Amino acid sequence: MPMTEKDQGTEERRSLPARVWRSIFRGPVVPRTDQERKWVVFNTLVLHLRPIRVPASTLKFSHTFGLGGSCLVLFLLLAATGLLMMFVYVPSPERAYDSVVALEDDVAFGSLVRGVHHWSANLLVVFAALHMLRVFLTGGFLGPRQFNWIVGLCLLLWVLAANFTGYLLPWDQLSYWAITISTGMVTYLPGAGPGLQEIVRGGGEIGAATLINFYALHTTFLPILFLSFGAWHFWRVRKAKGVVRPRRADGSPAGPEESVLFLPNLLLREVALALALLAGMVVLATLLGAPLGERANPGMSPNPAKAPWYFVGFQELLLHLHPFFAVCVIPLCAALALALLPYLRTEEEDATGIWFRSARGRRLAAWTAGLGALLGVGGVLFDELVLTGGRAVDASGAFVARGLVPFALLLVGLALFARFLRRRRGATRDEAVLAIFCLLAVVFVALTVIGYGFRGEGMALRWP
Amino acid sequence: MTSEDKSGNGSPTRRRILAVLAGTLGLVALAEMAWIALAFMRPRGRRRGAVGMIVAGPVDRFAPGSVTAFPEGRFYLARLKDGGFLALDRTCTHLGCTVPWVASQERFVCPCHASAFDIRGDVLSPPAPRALDLLPVRIENGIVKVETGRPIRRRRFQRDQVTRG
């Protein structure tokens, strides 16, 4: 138990090491009673950020899959491995590649550290996206959590930016040309495009200025954004009284209604998950490592040259649509739609905490997701085999034929589909939004998979 | 009467105007700081005045219908069949890959997305949206010189882009 004024007398009779120990840990280190556990949570710097008690029903793993916490663990791993690598890496075009080679070959555990950084970074994109999906599907962005969805979207953007800026640093062929392609996409933004590209690149082409830009963003600027937005995100979860409480499709609470102590119930689960993730990253890093290709050669583009995998969906769009629509209109519309999602909600029914909103929502989500896969794959194949993929369209007519027309078709199609869901399938507005979200998300995943795995030389379709 | 009105001698309208003014000034200050940060980030080095000149060589060294690469200047010197010169930036106008000259097909073929350009830089097949950028060419005393560092954008090839000896 904590030391009180009364204990002062006995305190002076203790030995010096015991008194030093007591000065650092003023209470129990290993709490044995519930009273002691509460005291430890309340009086420990890090644990104090957490609540004393949590609703028992939110503890079930399949309610959140621990995705948000996993993102935090991956971020901590990235920070630790990144800090270590900063002692070896040199951000200049002449020396960057050699310093990464040295990291791989000469530095003790260098390959492991770089491998953990690589895999944590890529999985962070996946986990952040899955976390967003989970929050959306369980209605975790309604009510007091509306704005936290926007903070989370910003965090997703920082994750992509951090990944992207880190992609260039090894200065091998893969990174050089992936950044060339991706920053090349920026020029298609009307008006500001070329100027923005010059600011990002620090000049007309990728060189020393680009590398130092990306290095500063990657190692300082974005981590600061992560810390501040991450803290904001977690604080708002805390202010919303934790994650959403799960409910069954009929609206009744799923699981026990009482609350339990955070320590040990939630803390031990979190520590177990964190350790499992750490082990997973070490295994991946040991077995697969981080790739490093040939030194960057500005005179020779590899064939094919692809953007980082999380942008390959847009690169795939670029093969089919006019660039203005592929890299400007559609991404902006998607971002706007994502930001508006928590505000589209209707008051008619509160579906917070129910997976897929309702039993009907679940059915709709399942078949619209299937439809999305068909549309994504079918659309690419149709365009490639029947319309011959943009190559037959001459550049002057492309804005209408490959931009306005398909985009208008998409909007009209979605509007008709939403109407169909509401009129013919009896979906509520929430459920219709959910179904369309699932449809579009799966289309994007399909485009990404096709672009990443099924495009070979000259970006022609091929079997992987 | 509210307590605010007693303590100050301004009317509510004046207070409101002052508040809006102060807020506007604050926003202007923020915009200035953002501008400073952006201006700070503007491209360094290789800016205006950092233009280079590459001496390609005497005119007769380049056969009509040939394309010669100048890796140090990041361009190709093309001599058209009629003897005119064009200096073509080697950067694909689609997404910025480097286009190699495929002599057997007499065209530039981009390895990234299969855009193709003819010897004049004109687009033979999309997705490239416009012809390869040009670099200014000068011929002085029978010596071809190319100005690097400031590529000129163009939609398509036109006769007046060609430099003749």
Side-chain angles (χ1 to χ4, degrees), chain A residues 208-227:
Chain A
T210 323
L211 187 54
I212 202 79
N213 274 1
F214 277 39
Y215 180 74
L217 289 170
H218 186 75
T219 57
T220 311
F221 194 79
L222 287 162
I224 290 174
L225 284 181
F226 274 121
L227 287 175

Side-chain angles (χ1 to χ4, degrees), chain B residues 10-91:
Chain B
S11 67
T13 326
R14 186 152 75 190
R15 276 162 190 280
R16 177 135 186 78
I17 289 170
L18 284 174
V20 167
L21 263 178
T24 313
L25 277 178
L27 286 180
V28 169
L30 272 183
E32 277 176 353
M33 284 180 224
W35 180 63
I36 289 173
L38 275 181
F40 190 93
M41 294 293 295
R42 279 294 290 275
R44 308 166 285 276
R46 289 176 58 56
R47 288 211 56 201
R48 258 177 239 109
V51 185
M53 179 69 80
I54 285 190
V55 180
V59 170
D60 1 311
R61 227 183 73 192
F62 306 97
S66 74
V67 170
T68 316
F70 286 83
E72 70 276 25
R74 305 192 164 204
F75 68 89
Y76 292 101
L77 188 65
R79 186 158 196 203
L80 308 182
K81 293 247 160 63
D82 66 2
F85 283 95
L86 277 178
L88 303 167
D89 195 299
R90 69 179 185 184
T91 311

Side-chain angles (χ1 to χ4, degrees), chain A residues 180 188 213 298 301 303 315 459, chain B residues 44 46 94 96 98 111-113:
Chain A
T180 302
Y188 288 113
N213 274 1
S301 307
N303 190 353
Q315 200 184 346
M459 295 303 275
Chain B
R44 308 166 285 276
R46 289 176 58 56
H94 178 226
T98 296
C112 295
H113 301 97

Side-chain angles (χ1 to χ4, degrees), chain A residues 185 188-189 318 321-329 398 402, chain B residues 94 127 129:
Chain A
M185 292 187 200
Y188 288 113
L189 299 178
L318 210 45
L321 298 181
H322 185 271
F324 175 61
F325 286 87
V327 304
C328 182
V329 175
R402 296 250 149 210
Chain B
H94 178 226

Side-chain angles (χ1 to χ4, degrees), chain A residues 217-272:
Chain A
L217 289 170
H218 186 75
T219 57
T220 311
F221 194 79
L222 287 162
I224 290 174
L225 284 181
F226 274 121
L227 287 175
S228 44
F229 276 70
W232 197 10
H233 198 59
F234 279 106
W235 180 73
R236 288 196 75 116
V237 172
R238 183 72 201 280
K239 288 289 140 183
K241 301 199 166 61
V243 298
V244 284
R245 302 207 187 180
R247 291 193 296 158
R248 293 201 185 81
D250 59 13
S252 65
E257 285 203 69
E258 84 269 14
S259 67
V260 293
L261 286 182
F262 161 74
L263 174 70
N265 298 293
L266 179 53
L267 183 65
L268 287 193
R269 283 173 164 85
E270 289 175 339
V271 171

Side-chain angles (χ1 to χ4, degrees), chain B residues 21-162:
Chain B
L21 263 178
T24 313
L25 277 178
L27 286 180
V28 169
L30 272 183
E32 277 176 353
M33 284 180 224
W35 180 63
I36 289 173
L38 275 181
F40 190 93
M41 294 293 295
R42 279 294 290 275
R44 308 166 285 276
R46 289 176 58 56
R47 288 211 56 201
R48 258 177 239 109
V51 185
M53 179 69 80
I54 285 190
V55 180
V59 170
D60 1 311
R61 227 183 73 192
F62 306 97
S66 74
V67 170
T68 316
F70 286 83
E72 70 276 25
R74 305 192 164 204
F75 68 89
Y76 292 101
L77 188 65
R79 186 158 196 203
L80 308 182
K81 293 247 160 63
D82 66 2
F85 283 95
L86 277 178
L88 303 167
D89 195 299
R90 69 179 185 184
T91 311
C92 180
T93 53
H94 178 226
L95 288 177
C97 288
T98 296
V99 287
W101 171 250
V102 184
S104 57
Q105 299 174 26
E106 293 205 334
R107 52 169 63 187
F108 298 95
V109 180
C110 182
C112 295
H113 301 97
S115 296
F117 307 87
D118 66 11
I119 192 170
R120 301 169 304 177
D122 258 348
V123 179
L124 288 175
S125 83
R130 56 192 164 79
L132 292 172
D133 289 349
L134 280 183
L135 301 176
V137 178
R138 264 186 290 163
I139 299 176
E140 289 167 1
N141 304 325
I143 307 286
V144 186
K145 296 175 177 177
V146 179
E147 199 183 298
T148 58
R150 222 189 293 170
I152 303 157
R153 286 168 152 250
R154 55 173 180 159
R155 273 204 88 73
R156 62 175 66 83
F157 171 76
Q158 275 156 1
R159 236 162 234 298
D160 60 357
Q161 293 162 347
V162 182

